[in-house]
Amino acid sequence: MYGPDVTFLGVERCTVAQPETYADADVVIVGAPFDGGTSHRPGTRFGPAAMRQACYLPHDGSRPSLALRVDALQDLTVYDAGDVEMFAGDIERSLGALESAVHAVASAGAIPIILGGDHTIALPDATGVARHLGFGRVSLVHFDAHADTGDVEFGSLYGHGQPMRRLIDSGAVRGDRFLQIGLRGYWPGPDTLTWMAAQRMRSYEMTEIVARGLDHCLTDAFAIAVDECDGVFLSVDVDVVDPGMAPGTGTPEPGGLTARQLLDAVRRCCYELPVVGVDIVEVSPPYDHAEITAYLGNRVVLEALSAIARRRRDAADGTRWDPTQPLLDAR
């Protein structure tokens, strides 16, 4: 909808309304250029275009991963369906259109990767996947500075501070299979936290993460995520990263993860878990500096794709990726 009509790093195009154009897809990238749910600084409608283009290498549909020894854009069949039409002035119509698009991709057997957009889109994203796999059968791993479990904000049930409550209220995702990583700061208040506890959510605040270590917290979360569920939806808000490393976002909160920690965590999620959908949200280019946040968003997508490709290769070959292997071994 905004900016040049280009695909993610030059991958082939497809059209959501024409399933035959992605019948062989492993992954379909979908743009969700929506910021009608923001509570503070807008601009995430420009996020999908920024993440598609944020790379200094040729946009040739190839990205070999040094760490994982795969080329996800070649080893997987990846298409870009372009942007869903999302008018910021009509939130319900826009969310409905996105849910339909994500459901179509999931129903075709592909993993949808959605480029946001503000975090309001997590509601249609995870719901679209759950409509295919079954309500209550998809767990959610959520990286964010904020819980996004508000109820009514500015007189609306929909907004970027409320999608997780709406997902649980609808039954699309179980509260006791909802894992949140990186929370911090001064919101939400006690009443919302009490509601979250009643849903049996598991939220890892940054103080706990620092005290216990991110890897330990992820291991705990992964055990819950795969229990009694058929797939995991991964939702990544870039404000989980400290704003010194991701300034281009609407609600920056100091004291977050480093960019390195987020990339490693996304890699672990998509390598170790049966991921059935991913969204990356809250990249707001108007507040970015030198495209720092857009580059991070782009690399989050590439880490997810590369880990999915590596997981599938290891499953097919009976091997396992060794992160301690020196880069040039066996060359």
Side-chain angles (χ1 to χ4, degrees), residues 128-148:
V129 173
R131 280 175 54 195
H132 172 60
L133 291 177
F135 273 35
R137 304 305 306 169
V138 177
S139 62
L140 202 144
V141 175
H142 169 208
F143 287 85
D144 205 327
H146 310 97
D148 293 353

Side-chain angles (χ1 to χ4, degrees), residues 256-288:
L257 300 178
T258 66
R260 180 70 264 161
Q261 285 176 308
L262 176 61
L263 294 175
D264 286 345
V266 168
R267 182 189 296 168
R268 270 198 70 185
C269 287
C270 293
Y271 180 70
E272 297 182 23
L273 299 174
V275 169
V276 291
V278 180
D279 63 24
I280 170 69
V281 302
E282 298 290 351
V283 173
S284 184
Y287 292 94
D288 213 356

Side-chain angles (χ1 to χ4, degrees), residues 2-329:
Y2 306 101
D5 183 16
V6 297
T7 65
F8 183 81
L9 301 182
V11 302
E12 294 295 321
R13 298 175 183 272
C14 71
T15 303
V16 167
Q18 299 173 356
E20 67 274 12
T21 64
Y22 54 96
D24 61 337
D26 295 307
V27 174
V28 174
I29 293 169
V30 178
F34 182 79
D35 57 12
T38 53
S39 59
H40 188 43
R41 305 193 308 199
T44 56
R45 69 182 66 186
F46 306 115
M51 285 186 277
R52 284 185 173 107
Q53 299 174 74
C55 190
Y56 53 85
L57 296 168
H59 289 211
D60 56 1
S62 174
R63 282 298 180 279
S65 167
L66 292 178
L68 289 159
R69 280 77 165 177
V70 293
D71 184 340
L73 300 185
Q74 294 289 311
D75 296 347
L76 300 173
T77 301
V78 182
Y79 294 105
D80 190 331
D83 289 347
V84 174
E85 187 177 88
M86 302 187 75
F87 174 51
D90 191 340
I91 192 167
E92 292 191 39
R93 185 184 76 183
S94 295
L95 299 187
L98 180 57
E99 182 182 322
S100 295
V102 172
H103 178 250
V105 170
S107 297
I111 297 173
I113 294 185
I114 304 98
L115 311 179
D118 73 48
H119 219 158
T120 310
I121 70 166
L123 172 58
D125 293 344
T127 302
V129 173
R131 280 175 54 195
H132 172 60
L133 291 177
F135 273 35
R137 304 305 306 169
V138 177
S139 62
L140 202 144
V141 175
H142 169 208
F143 287 85
D144 205 327
H146 310 97
D148 293 353
T149 49
D151 191 3
V152 177
E153 302 287 341
F154 307 110
S156 176
L157 290 169
Y158 304 105
H160 74 166
Q162 299 129 277
M164 308 316 172
R165 185 181 288 235
R166 299 286 87 83
L167 280 168
I168 293 171
D169 282 347
S170 72
V173 180
R174 291 166 45 173
D176 61 353
R177 297 297 180 272
F178 217 111
L179 297 312
Q180 300 185 306
I181 313 291
L183 304 190
R184 61 189 186 276
Y186 302 89
W187 184 88
D191 290 347
T192 301
L193 294 174
T194 298
W195 180 87
M196 292 166 61
Q199 312 311 308
R200 299 173 61 196
M201 299 177 71
R202 182 62 169 97
S203 302
Y204 297 83
E205 194 266 340
M206 279 302 300
T207 305
E208 179 184 358
I209 291 171
V210 170
R212 297 183 59 207
L214 179 58
D215 278 341
H216 287 296
C217 293
L218 289 176
T219 298
D220 285 355
F222 289 4
I224 299 169
V226 296
D227 184 33
E228 298 182 1
C229 286
D230 300 322
V232 178
F233 191 94
L234 175 63
S235 188
V236 180
D237 185 330
V238 292
D239 74 19
V240 75
V241 171
D242 189 274
M245 294 185 177
T249 194
T251 49
E253 184 64 52
L257 300 178
T258 66
R260 180 70 264 161
Q261 285 176 308
L262 176 61
L263 294 175
D264 286 345
V266 168
R267 182 189 296 168
R268 270 198 70 185
C269 287
C270 293
Y271 180 70
E272 297 182 23
L273 299 174
V275 169
V276 291
V278 180
D279 63 24
I280 170 69
V281 302
E282 298 290 351
V283 173
S284 184
Y287 292 94
D288 213 356
H289 171 70
E291 300 179 282
I292 293 171
T293 316
Y295 271 87
L296 176 59
N298 177 282
R299 279 356 191 206
V300 167
V301 176
L302 282 176
E303 285 295 336
L305 288 168
S306 297
I308 291 167
R310 184 77 239 186
R311 176 183 172 90
R312 293 190 178 188
R313 176 183 292 184
D314 285 356
D317 297 345
T319 55
R320 182 168 180 82
W321 172 63
D322 177 7
T324 69
Q325 182 183 10
L327 174 63
L328 302 180
D329 267 13

